[in-house]
mmCIF file of all heavy atoms in Angstrom:
data_model
loop_
_atom_site.group_PDB
_atom_site.id
_atom_site.type_symbol
_atom_site.label_atom_id
_atom_site.label_comp_id
_atom_site.label_asym_id
_atom_site.label_seq_id
_atom_site.Cartn_x
_atom_site.Cartn_y
_atom_site.Cartn_z
ATOM 1 N N GLY A 282 69.301 31.108 137.262
ATOM 2 C CA GLY A 282 70.039 32.392 137.093
ATOM 3 C C GLY A 282 71.191 32.712 137.982
ATOM 4 O O GLY A 282 71.837 33.962 137.984
ATOM 5 N N LEU A 283 71.555 31.770 138.803
ATOM 6 C CA LEU A 283 72.805 32.047 139.626
ATOM 7 C C LEU A 283 74.089 31.587 138.909
ATOM 8 O O LEU A 283 74.380 30.411 138.908
ATOM 9 C CB LEU A 283 72.611 31.201 140.984
ATOM 10 C CG LEU A 283 71.441 31.499 141.834
ATOM 11 C CD1 LEU A 283 71.344 30.672 143.105
ATOM 12 C CD2 LEU A 283 71.444 32.997 142.299
ATOM 13 N N ASP A 284 74.680 32.576 138.374
ATOM 14 C CA ASP A 284 75.848 32.397 137.622
ATOM 15 C C ASP A 284 77.098 31.958 138.584
ATOM 16 O O ASP A 284 77.380 32.772 139.293
ATOM 17 C CB ASP A 284 76.191 33.598 136.705
ATOM 18 C CG ASP A 284 77.421 33.487 135.811
ATOM 19 O OD1 ASP A 284 78.135 32.566 135.919
ATOM 20 O OD2 ASP A 284 77.581 34.507 135.102
ATOM 21 N N PRO A 285 77.694 30.778 138.310
ATOM 22 C CA PRO A 285 78.772 30.411 139.173
ATOM 23 C C PRO A 285 79.916 31.295 139.084
ATOM 24 O O PRO A 285 80.814 31.271 140.011
ATOM 25 C CB PRO A 285 79.100 28.904 138.629
ATOM 26 C CG PRO A 285 77.933 28.501 137.931
ATOM 27 C CD PRO A 285 77.320 29.732 137.336
ATOM 28 N N GLU A 286 80.001 32.172 138.040
ATOM 29 C CA GLU A 286 81.135 33.071 137.933
ATOM 30 C C GLU A 286 80.917 34.289 138.765
ATOM 31 O O GLU A 286 81.941 34.923 139.073
ATOM 32 C CB GLU A 286 81.317 33.540 136.452
ATOM 33 C CG GLU A 286 81.576 32.376 135.433
ATOM 34 C CD GLU A 286 82.994 31.734 135.735
ATOM 35 O OE1 GLU A 286 83.890 32.447 136.076
ATOM 36 O OE2 GLU A 286 83.152 30.500 135.577
ATOM 37 N N LYS A 287 79.733 34.428 139.177
ATOM 38 C CA LYS A 287 79.376 35.721 139.979
ATOM 39 C C LYS A 287 78.881 35.244 141.406
ATOM 40 O O LYS A 287 78.927 36.160 142.263
ATOM 41 C CB LYS A 287 78.157 36.448 139.318
ATOM 42 C CG LYS A 287 78.688 37.049 137.928
ATOM 43 C CD LYS A 287 77.372 37.906 137.362
ATOM 44 C CE LYS A 287 77.752 38.527 135.979
ATOM 45 N NZ LYS A 287 76.749 39.369 135.588
ATOM 46 N N ASN A 288 78.518 34.090 141.663
ATOM 47 C CA ASN A 288 78.065 33.730 142.899
ATOM 48 C C ASN A 288 78.793 32.386 143.379
ATOM 49 O O ASN A 288 79.257 31.616 142.589
ATOM 50 C CB ASN A 288 76.630 33.248 142.819
ATOM 51 C CG ASN A 288 75.707 34.270 142.384
ATOM 52 O OD1 ASN A 288 75.229 35.164 143.120
ATOM 53 N ND2 ASN A 288 75.285 34.325 141.040
ATOM 54 N N THR A 289 79.067 32.339 144.668
ATOM 55 C CA THR A 289 79.755 31.094 145.227
ATOM 56 C C THR A 289 78.775 30.051 145.589
ATOM 57 O O THR A 289 77.955 30.182 146.471
ATOM 58 C CB THR A 289 80.630 31.475 146.412
ATOM 59 O OG1 THR A 289 81.510 32.566 146.058
ATOM 60 C CG2 THR A 289 81.453 30.288 146.935
ATOM 61 N N LEU A 290 78.833 28.958 144.642
ATOM 62 C CA LEU A 290 77.741 27.911 144.891
ATOM 63 C C LEU A 290 78.424 26.708 145.440
ATOM 64 O O LEU A 290 79.476 26.180 144.936
ATOM 65 C CB LEU A 290 77.052 27.579 143.635
ATOM 66 C CG LEU A 290 76.439 28.724 142.825
ATOM 67 C CD1 LEU A 290 75.909 28.292 141.544
ATOM 68 C CD2 LEU A 290 75.415 29.438 143.635
ATOM 69 N N PHE A 291 78.020 26.208 146.607
ATOM 70 C CA PHE A 291 78.721 25.035 147.201
ATOM 71 C C PHE A 291 77.787 24.125 148.079
ATOM 72 O O PHE A 291 76.662 24.428 148.337
ATOM 73 C CB PHE A 291 79.806 25.605 148.229
ATOM 74 C CG PHE A 291 79.454 26.347 149.267
ATOM 75 C CD1 PHE A 291 79.314 25.820 150.543
ATOM 76 C CD2 PHE A 291 79.142 27.665 149.211
ATOM 77 C CE1 PHE A 291 78.972 26.447 151.748
ATOM 78 C CE2 PHE A 291 78.771 28.461 150.364
ATOM 79 C CZ PHE A 291 78.728 27.722 151.598
ATOM 80 N N VAL A 292 78.282 22.927 148.314
ATOM 81 C CA VAL A 292 77.596 21.954 149.207
ATOM 82 C C VAL A 292 77.982 22.173 150.552
ATOM 83 O O VAL A 292 79.270 22.168 150.940
ATOM 84 C CB VAL A 292 77.761 20.519 148.677
ATOM 85 C CG1 VAL A 292 77.019 19.646 149.512
ATOM 86 C CG2 VAL A 292 77.359 20.417 147.240
ATOM 87 N N GLN A 293 77.097 22.350 151.614
ATOM 88 C CA GLN A 293 77.508 22.571 152.955
ATOM 89 C C GLN A 293 78.376 21.574 153.455
ATOM 90 O O GLN A 293 79.450 21.868 154.210
ATOM 91 C CB GLN A 293 76.171 22.575 153.832
ATOM 92 C CG GLN A 293 76.435 22.904 155.202
ATOM 93 C CD GLN A 293 75.010 22.601 156.020
ATOM 94 O OE1 GLN A 293 74.226 21.891 155.580
ATOM 95 N NE2 GLN A 293 74.933 23.326 157.162
ATOM 96 N N SER A 294 78.189 20.321 153.304
ATOM 97 C CA SER A 294 79.152 19.327 153.875
ATOM 98 C C SER A 294 80.416 19.180 153.316
ATOM 99 O O SER A 294 81.423 18.596 153.766
ATOM 100 C CB SER A 294 78.474 17.918 153.679
ATOM 101 O OG SER A 294 78.194 17.472 152.348
ATOM 102 N N HIS A 295 80.676 19.926 152.204
ATOM 103 C CA HIS A 295 81.927 19.945 151.600
ATOM 104 C C HIS A 295 82.888 20.875 152.220
ATOM 105 O O HIS A 295 84.086 21.044 152.013
ATOM 106 C CB HIS A 295 81.968 20.375 150.086
ATOM 107 C CG HIS A 295 81.293 19.300 149.203
ATOM 108 N ND1 HIS A 295 81.254 19.351 147.883
ATOM 109 C CD2 HIS A 295 80.889 18.015 149.538
ATOM 110 C CE1 HIS A 295 80.574 18.193 147.396
ATOM 111 N NE2 HIS A 295 80.407 17.487 148.327
ATOM 112 N N VAL A 296 82.360 21.770 153.123
ATOM 113 C CA VAL A 296 83.096 22.758 153.853
ATOM 114 C C VAL A 296 83.122 22.370 155.274
ATOM 115 O O VAL A 296 82.113 22.736 156.052
ATOM 116 C CB VAL A 296 82.559 24.254 153.586
ATOM 117 C CG1 VAL A 296 83.409 25.303 154.348
ATOM 118 C CG2 VAL A 296 82.434 24.423 152.108
ATOM 119 N N HIS A 297 84.142 21.740 155.756
ATOM 120 C CA HIS A 297 84.163 21.100 157.115
ATOM 121 C C HIS A 297 84.092 22.090 158.229
ATOM 122 O O HIS A 297 83.619 21.804 159.349
ATOM 123 C CB HIS A 297 85.356 20.284 157.281
ATOM 124 C CG HIS A 297 86.651 21.062 157.217
ATOM 125 N ND1 HIS A 297 87.206 21.761 158.298
ATOM 126 C CD2 HIS A 297 87.511 21.131 156.117
ATOM 127 C CE1 HIS A 297 88.353 22.213 157.784
ATOM 128 N NE2 HIS A 297 88.613 21.963 156.622
ATOM 129 N N GLN A 298 84.328 23.356 157.958
ATOM 130 C CA GLN A 298 84.373 24.515 158.927
ATOM 131 C C GLN A 298 82.835 24.621 159.448
ATOM 132 O O GLN A 298 82.739 25.082 160.677
ATOM 133 C CB GLN A 298 84.837 25.719 158.506
ATOM 134 C CG GLN A 298 86.366 25.719 158.119
ATOM 135 C CD GLN A 298 86.776 25.230 156.733
ATOM 136 O OE1 GLN A 298 85.840 24.687 156.071
ATOM 137 N NE2 GLN A 298 88.089 25.294 156.513
ATOM 138 N N HIS A 299 81.836 24.350 158.715
ATOM 139 C CA HIS A 299 80.459 24.448 159.189
ATOM 140 C C HIS A 299 80.186 23.568 160.405
ATOM 141 O O HIS A 299 79.716 24.051 161.449
ATOM 142 C CB HIS A 299 79.500 24.006 158.061
ATOM 143 C CG HIS A 299 79.372 25.078 157.032
ATOM 144 N ND1 HIS A 299 78.191 25.815 156.946
ATOM 145 C CD2 HIS A 299 80.114 25.400 155.983
ATOM 146 C CE1 HIS A 299 78.437 26.581 155.849
ATOM 147 N NE2 HIS A 299 79.608 26.395 155.401
ATOM 148 N N ALA A 300 80.684 22.325 160.294
ATOM 149 C CA ALA A 300 80.577 21.373 161.557
ATOM 150 C C ALA A 300 81.334 21.845 162.730
ATOM 151 O O ALA A 300 80.871 21.804 163.828
ATOM 152 C CB ALA A 300 80.838 19.987 160.993
ATOM 153 N N GLU A 301 82.566 22.282 162.379
ATOM 154 C CA GLU A 301 83.499 22.582 163.491
ATOM 155 C C GLU A 301 83.013 23.843 164.263
ATOM 156 O O GLU A 301 82.942 24.002 165.551
ATOM 157 C CB GLU A 301 84.923 22.907 162.980
ATOM 158 C CG GLU A 301 85.448 21.667 162.431
ATOM 159 C CD GLU A 301 86.996 21.854 161.906
ATOM 160 O OE1 GLU A 301 87.877 22.156 162.699
ATOM 161 O OE2 GLU A 301 87.133 21.714 160.606
ATOM 162 N N LEU A 302 82.600 24.923 163.500
ATOM 163 C CA LEU A 302 82.123 26.062 164.199
ATOM 164 C C LEU A 302 80.727 25.791 164.813
ATOM 165 O O LEU A 302 80.317 26.225 165.870
ATOM 166 C CB LEU A 302 81.973 27.206 163.248
ATOM 167 C CG LEU A 302 81.503 28.627 163.849
ATOM 168 C CD1 LEU A 302 82.525 29.118 165.031
ATOM 169 C CD2 LEU A 302 81.312 29.711 162.782
ATOM 170 N N GLY A 303 79.972 24.967 164.123
ATOM 171 C CA GLY A 303 78.645 24.524 164.793
ATOM 172 C C GLY A 303 78.796 24.015 166.203
ATOM 173 O O GLY A 303 77.972 24.425 167.050
ATOM 174 N N TRP A 304 79.886 23.188 166.420
ATOM 175 C CA TRP A 304 79.997 22.615 167.710
ATOM 176 C C TRP A 304 80.366 23.827 168.799
ATOM 177 O O TRP A 304 79.860 23.818 169.856
ATOM 178 C CB TRP A 304 81.156 21.622 167.730
ATOM 179 C CG TRP A 304 81.569 21.230 169.136
ATOM 180 C CD1 TRP A 304 82.735 21.439 169.700
ATOM 181 C CD2 TRP A 304 80.944 20.560 170.100
ATOM 182 N NE1 TRP A 304 82.796 21.117 171.074
ATOM 183 C CE2 TRP A 304 81.587 20.510 171.275
ATOM 184 C CE3 TRP A 304 79.542 20.065 170.227
ATOM 185 C CZ2 TRP A 304 80.965 19.926 172.500
ATOM 186 C CZ3 TRP A 304 78.959 19.555 171.435
ATOM 187 C CH2 TRP A 304 79.846 19.398 172.558
ATOM 188 N N VAL A 305 81.306 24.649 168.368
ATOM 189 C CA VAL A 305 81.676 25.727 169.267
ATOM 190 C C VAL A 305 80.533 26.702 169.565
ATOM 191 O O VAL A 305 80.297 26.959 170.777
ATOM 192 C CB VAL A 305 82.759 26.566 168.561
ATOM 193 C CG1 VAL A 305 83.015 27.859 169.419
ATOM 194 C CG2 VAL A 305 84.006 25.858 168.332
ATOM 195 N N LEU A 306 79.710 26.933 168.573
ATOM 196 C CA LEU A 306 78.529 27.769 168.876
ATOM 197 C C LEU A 306 77.379 27.075 169.728
ATOM 198 O O LEU A 306 76.657 27.765 170.449
ATOM 199 C CB LEU A 306 77.922 28.248 167.573
ATOM 200 C CG LEU A 306 78.807 29.284 166.810
ATOM 201 C CD1 LEU A 306 78.100 29.804 165.563
ATOM 202 C CD2 LEU A 306 79.471 30.394 167.538
ATOM 203 N N GLN A 307 77.321 25.748 169.708
ATOM 204 C CA GLN A 307 76.499 24.993 170.598
ATOM 205 C C GLN A 307 76.883 25.206 172.019
ATOM 206 O O GLN A 307 75.960 25.414 172.885
ATOM 207 C CB GLN A 307 76.606 23.467 170.342
ATOM 208 C CG GLN A 307 75.726 22.990 169.190
ATOM 209 C CD GLN A 307 75.833 21.414 169.076
ATOM 210 O OE1 GLN A 307 75.515 20.738 170.111
ATOM 211 N NE2 GLN A 307 76.300 20.932 167.864
ATOM 212 N N CYS A 308 78.146 25.485 172.263
ATOM 213 C CA CYS A 308 78.569 25.708 173.597
ATOM 214 C C CYS A 308 78.334 27.157 174.094
ATOM 215 O O CYS A 308 78.600 27.571 175.145
ATOM 216 C CB CYS A 308 80.067 25.451 173.643
ATOM 217 S SG CYS A 308 80.505 23.736 173.236
ATOM 218 N N TYR A 309 77.738 28.036 173.126
ATOM 219 C CA TYR A 309 77.484 29.366 173.437
ATOM 220 C C TYR A 309 76.027 29.756 173.208
ATOM 221 O O TYR A 309 75.579 30.877 173.043
ATOM 222 C CB TYR A 309 78.406 30.370 172.742
ATOM 223 C CG TYR A 309 79.878 30.334 173.174
ATOM 224 C CD1 TYR A 309 80.654 29.311 172.650
ATOM 225 C CD2 TYR A 309 80.332 31.183 174.067
ATOM 226 C CE1 TYR A 309 81.976 29.253 173.100
ATOM 227 C CE2 TYR A 309 81.593 31.085 174.584
ATOM 228 C CZ TYR A 309 82.337 30.131 174.071
ATOM 229 O OH TYR A 309 83.797 30.033 174.525
ATOM 230 N N THR A 310 75.238 28.538 173.038
ATOM 231 C CA THR A 310 73.828 28.628 172.893
ATOM 232 C C THR A 310 73.074 28.015 174.140
ATOM 233 O O THR A 310 73.422 26.876 174.436
ATOM 234 C CB THR A 310 73.384 27.984 171.708
ATOM 235 O OG1 THR A 310 74.123 28.295 170.462
ATOM 236 C CG2 THR A 310 71.872 28.225 171.279
#
Side-chain angles (χ1 to χ4, degrees):
L283 298 181
D284 184 349
E286 298 297 321
K287 295 182 177 181
N288 302 275
T289 303
L290 308 178
F291 66 98
V292 180
Q293 181 189 25
S294 63
H295 290 182
V296 182
H297 61 82
Q298 291 87 351
H299 285 252
E301 293 182 65
L302 184 60
W304 167 250
V305 174
L306 296 186
Q307 279 185 52
C308 300
Y309 293 83
T310 311

